[in-house]
Amino acid sequence: MSRETKQDRIIRNLLDQATEHLHELKSLDANPNTKELDVERWAQSFLRNCLGYSASAGYSIRAQETKGKMRPDLVVLYQDKPIFVVEVKKMGFDLNKSDFRCGKVQLKEYLSLIGDVRWGILTNGCEWKLYDFSLPEYGGIEIASFDLKSEDVIEVSKKAVEEQAYEFFDFHESSYTTSTWPELSKEAMAFSPESLAKAILSVDVVRYVAKYVRGEHEFKANHEILTDRLYWLLEQGLNDAIKGWNDTKAAEIHKFVKSQKRASRKTKRTRKSAAAVDDHGPTTPLMDMQPPTTAETSTEDKTAS
């Protein structure tokens, strides 16, 4: 029989609360009169009831007492010691803004005032971003994120809620108390723009991209020319490199990226489930998760043929 993993068990136990909170969030999103304070109250409840930062587990959540002061919206404490802060923005706020009063800058200021706190979370209700501020020279490294909207819609079906629960599990209290957050931080450092650019332009990756291009377009790419084109694309960025780049084209690429990320998560969970099989043999896992059929597989098949 397959042993249920700790992650599977936690997610199974929080599904009812997650469903209720997603229904509430959907109502907030549909209401044009929703205020930032409404999102803050919802986020506080979500932290307690879905992400596990409850009083019974030794946590408390302190809300900002006076608006307009240099204080974070929410401070999560464990046994009265601050462990991370949360900056809450209104629904639809662009969390990627880079101006002086963006949420990330505010998080950094709050952590500097509190002192000895490494982690900060930025959210607008739907989108959540987790930052590591332990290295001041980087100004906060984004180490994890999730979006409770799918295709700009908050889905509340049982399957969709379960899928979302796996996506936000990295923010769960059980991830905080293990080595997950430091490991995610190491991963983020390894995935810095410079590191990724060198990886993408490495010989092995260029060869793989050439195989993908051949499978998709039936064209055998020259590796040197392909390397130059990849470097040009990295240097320019999609926004400047593609003539007529617009919101529609950006949405298409974003949709593709999200589909690939979901496929990657399913593959990862399938491997974890396989690793959890004990000596008694397999049982039915929490979700029927099969490795996805990807363009990579079809490309390799075409190349082999």
Side-chain angles (χ1 to χ4, degrees):
M1 296 176 65
S2 174
R3 184 181 305 151
E4 185 181 45
T5 66
K6 180 180 179 182
Q7 182 186 34
D8 291 339
R9 183 173 65 256
I10 291 172
I11 288 175
R12 173 169 53 80
N13 291 333
L14 64 77
L15 284 179
D16 287 344
Q17 283 285 357
T19 301
E20 181 178 339
H21 279 75
L22 283 177
H23 274 287
E24 293 172 356
L25 185 64
K26 190 171 185 177
S27 296
L28 290 175
D29 187 49
N31 185 355
N33 296 318
T34 294
K35 303 290 192 297
E36 188 174 299
L37 182 59
D38 298 322
V39 181
E40 181 184 314
R41 288 168 178 163
W42 179 90
Q44 188 173 168
S45 180
F46 185 73
L47 284 162
R48 284 199 182 99
N49 299 303
C50 298
L51 297 183
Y53 300 98
S54 61
S56 60
Y59 296 90
S60 60
I61 302 177
R62 188 174 66 211
Q64 182 175 239
E65 298 173 359
T66 306
K67 294 295 181 183
K69 300 293 183 180
M70 183 58 70
R71 297 176 184 175
D73 292 321
L74 302 172
V75 180
V76 178
L77 307 95
Y78 180 71
Q79 296 180 347
D80 295 327
K81 180 182 178 181
I83 57 173
F84 64 85
V85 301
V86 183
E87 175 64 15
V88 182
K89 296 299 184 182
K90 64 182 179 180
M91 298 288 292
F93 182 89
D94 182 4
L95 300 187
N96 296 313
K97 288 180 68 174
S98 58
D99 58 45
F100 180 70
R101 297 310 300 168
C102 73
K104 183 180 174 182
V105 171
Q106 289 176 285
L107 279 174
K108 183 178 179 181
E109 293 173 347
Y110 300 149
L111 292 175
S112 297
L113 289 173
I114 296 173
D116 196 29
V117 178
R118 178 176 181 176
W119 313 104
I121 291 177
L122 179 61
T123 181
N124 60 13
C126 294
E127 295 177 82
W128 291 66
K129 294 179 180 290
L130 173 62
Y131 295 93
D132 179 0
F133 287 89
S134 63
L135 298 173
E137 63 270 26
Y138 288 95
I141 303 168
E142 182 182 328
I143 67 171
S145 65
F146 67 88
D147 190 345
L148 293 174
K149 278 189 174 182
S150 177
E151 304 296 330
D152 207 36
V153 175
I154 299 174
E155 297 284 355
V156 292
S157 67
K158 182 178 179 180
K159 182 179 179 181
V161 173
E162 189 170 16
E163 201 52 44
Q164 289 286 12
Y166 277 99
E167 291 196 26
F168 65 62
F169 190 77
D170 283 340
F171 284 66
H172 194 271
E173 182 270 344
S174 62
S175 296
Y176 166 76
T177 54
T178 60
S179 61
T180 299
W181 287 15
E183 286 299 317
L184 287 171
S185 187
K186 289 180 183 178
E187 182 180 86
M189 287 296 296
F191 291 167
S192 67
E194 296 86 353
S195 177
L196 287 176
K198 290 178 180 178
I200 291 170
L201 295 171
S202 66
V203 172
D204 289 341
V205 173
V206 171
R207 285 175 178 166
Y208 181 84
V209 173
K211 288 173 64 177
Y212 185 93
V213 169
R214 184 175 183 179
E216 287 289 300
H217 301 283
E218 298 182 356
F219 175 77
K220 187 174 182 179
N222 179 292
H223 289 187
E224 291 187 17
I225 294 175
L226 180 57
T227 300
D228 287 338
R229 293 295 295 177
L230 287 172
Y231 174 70
W232 174 81
L233 183 60
L234 290 170
E235 188 178 37
Q236 297 295 317
L238 289 171
N239 196 17
D240 295 326
I242 298 179
K243 185 177 181 180
W245 182 260
N246 54 32
D247 290 343
T248 301
K249 291 183 178 180
E252 289 175 358
I253 293 292
H254 184 63
K255 182 178 179 180
F256 174 78
V257 169
K258 290 188 74 172
S259 71
Q260 297 304 297
K261 287 167 67 177
R262 286 200 175 97
S264 177
R265 291 190 200 103
K266 289 181 180 178
T267 303
K268 184 178 179 181
R269 292 206 300 272
T270 302
R271 289 171 180 166
K272 285 185 177 179
S273 296
V277 175
D278 60 19
D279 296 334
H280 299 290
T283 59
T284 303
L286 180 63
M287 294 179 64
D288 183 17
M289 296 171 291
Q290 298 296 327
T293 302
T294 63
E296 171 186 340
T297 303
S298 61
T299 299
E300 291 177 350
D301 291 342
K302 291 178 183 178
T303 305
S305 62

